Every structure is written in structure tokens, then in C-alpha cells.
Amino acid sequence: MRTTKIWSFVGAGGKTTGIFCLADYMLKQGLRVLVTTTTHMAGPENPAFLPGDLGVEIVKRLEQDGFVIGGVPVSDKKIRGISRETLMQVKEAADVILIEADGSARLPFKVPAMHEPVIVPETDRIFVTMGLTALGRPVAEVCHRKEIFCEMTGKEQNSLLDEAGMAEGIYRGYLLRLWKEHPEAAITVILNQADDHIAEAAGSRVKHRLLELFGQNKDELSVNWDVKILSWKRLMEEGEDLGWLFT
């Protein structure tokens, strides 16, 4: 029996790019990959897109091509995901299922509302993505759910988002909740859009602050998590070996 990995992607600033970067890498490893969403995602202009919610068709395409993007069109530009029943039906036909499980209104930073993210219980790894291009810009311009972020941190909407604020949003908005709600899942924080040395240095400062926040509570937590600073765009363009992400 195939043991299927189910990985969910939440946050902002590169979820979809990360999903397709990983999908491309896994396909090159000979794995069968299903991409879908539990919310909505941009309608893919990709021959692997299979519109509809029929499990038998998804299984057939996975066996034939090894790659399916599954979803139901809801507009010219958006799709919703396949149903949970269909997901469970097709699970064993895939080696990896990559799920976009959060929305961000195309902004690079986000904290979630209480009904977000939408993560299936079977998820065994969660990628929390944030875009480093949000740093140094007004919160009101770069943050989805900005009201929640400002209430959480005490910052004003016209204040500039700094590394400490990004770290606090990730830690309090996502990590504390995910560790509680999905204690068995490994969590990887992706600080994306590290496209140059300046952005990489800013990402290092966000990571340092995240580790400081964790250190203040580590005696109360027993969790599997890490932080990666990268550029999904660059990794996809260069076709880099992504095996290091899984060590």
C-alpha cells in the first residue's frame, strides 16, 4: 500500500509558486503528484488541470501522467478544491498531495482569521510561507487581515512592517495555533522572496526573532519545526535539487 504524503501550504507571498516548484521537483523524482486546494486558488493554465470532482478520473490521470491539478472552476480565474470525499478516494493513487490551504488576496504577508487556514486532518507537513518583500512597507499595503495583525501586535496600519513584526505575526498568528491543532504535523516556515543578499539578511533577522520567541516557550512545547530562507522563483528557474528541504 502506498504511503501518501499530504502537505498543506498556508500564509502568503509564494504558496502557489512553492507548490509548483515542489511538484516539479517530485515529478522529476518519479513520484505521482496531486495538487489541489481546500479554499480557492488561481485557475491554472496547465494541461495537468482536470476540472471536476470525479475521483475515478483523477486516479486514471495520475496513473497515466503522474500529475494532476484537481479542482472545480468557480469563475474564469478561480477554482475551488475537490471535495474531502474525493480527496480520500484518490489519496492512495498519489505519492504526494500538495494542498493550498489558505488565501492571502495576493499580498505578501498575512495573519489568519479564526476560520483559517483550512487544513485537512491527515496533513503530515505544513509549510508556513511569508514574503520578505513585505518588509519596510506599510502594514496596510502588504498585510492580509491587517486589522487582526494590528490588534495582535499593537501596531498601527500605517506603520512599517519590520522583522520583529513579521516574526510575531508568524509565531502568534500561525505557529502557536498550528502546534496546538496539528501536533503530529512537521512545520516548515518558508521566508520566501530572498532574491538578493539584502533580502537574505532580512530573512535571517526574522528567523532569529522567531527562534527567540520559541525559546521563551520551548519548555512548554514539544514540536517538529524549522525555518528556511529561500526564493521559490529562483529555485524553480535554476532547477535546484530540493532534497535539502526534507532533511
Side-chain angles (χ1 to χ4, degrees):
M1 182 179 294
R2 177 180 279 111
T3 300
T4 305
K5 299 181 184 297
I6 301 180
W7 293 354
S8 292
F9 293 72
V10 305
K15 296 187 305 293
T16 305
T17 305
I19 285 172
F20 285 103
C21 186
L22 285 173
D24 183 64
Y25 172 76
M26 292 171 176
L27 287 167
K28 290 175 180 175
Q29 309 307 305
L31 301 178
R32 294 179 178 179
V33 181
L34 170 63
V35 171
T36 189
T37 177
T38 52
T39 56
H40 294 89
M41 64 188 298
E45 297 181 1
N46 189 309
F49 177 50
L50 181 62
D53 194 27
L54 292 177
V56 64
E57 294 296 328
I58 294 172
V59 170
K60 181 179 178 180
R61 184 74 70 85
L62 281 169
E63 292 175 346
Q64 175 182 309
D65 300 333
F67 183 39
V68 175
I69 304 167
V72 180
V74 295
S75 71
D76 291 340
K77 297 181 179 180
K78 288 283 187 180
I79 65 170
R80 64 173 173 82
I82 59 177
S83 66
R84 175 171 172 77
E85 291 75 18
T86 299
L87 183 67
M88 293 299 101
Q89 178 185 349
V90 306
K91 182 178 72 168
E92 292 185 6
D95 295 298
V96 186
I97 300 176
L98 306 177
I99 302 175
E100 186 162 319
D102 207 2
S104 60
R106 304 184 70 84
L107 293 172
F109 181 62
K110 173 184 178 174
V111 294
M114 288 306 297
H115 64 280
E116 301 169 316
V118 185
I119 297 175
V120 298
E122 294 79 9
T123 290
D124 51 77
R125 187 162 191 172
I126 302 168
F127 290 84
V128 182
T129 302
M130 292 296 163
L132 293 169
T133 57
L135 293 170
R137 298 166 62 190
V139 169
E141 294 181 7
V142 299
C143 182
H144 188 43
R145 311 290 188 214
K146 55 185 178 290
E147 297 86 357
I148 297 174
F149 174 75
C150 291
E151 181 179 355
M152 176 186 296
T153 62
K155 295 184 180 295
E156 300 292 334
Q157 292 192 22
N158 61 358
S159 65
L160 301 183
L161 181 67
D162 60 12
E163 290 88 344
M166 177 174 281
E168 186 173 1
I170 295 169
Y171 189 78
R172 296 180 60 188
Y174 281 98
L175 294 180
L176 290 178
R177 278 182 53 194
L178 294 175
W179 285 331
K180 180 179 180 181
E181 296 172 6
H182 302 276
E184 301 303 317
I187 296 177
T188 299
V189 176
I190 299 291
L191 300 175
N192 185 39
Q193 299 169 344
D195 298 324
D196 54 39
H197 294 306
I198 294 174
E200 288 178 358
S204 294
R205 292 190 291 272
V206 176
K207 177 178 179 178
H208 179 74
R209 181 56 184 152
L210 278 170
L211 295 175
E212 284 185 336
L213 291 168
F214 177 71
Q216 295 170 9
N217 299 280
K218 65 180 180 180
D219 292 339
E220 304 170 17
L221 299 167
S222 177
V223 293
N224 179 7
W225 78 296
D226 63 346
V227 183
K228 302 292 186 185
I229 302 165
L230 52 75
S231 166
W232 283 128
K233 179 182 177 182
R234 188 174 66 214
L235 291 177
M236 181 173 285
E237 290 173 349
E238 296 177 358
E240 184 175 323
D241 184 350
L242 298 178
W244 57 270
L245 265 172
F246 315 117
T247 58

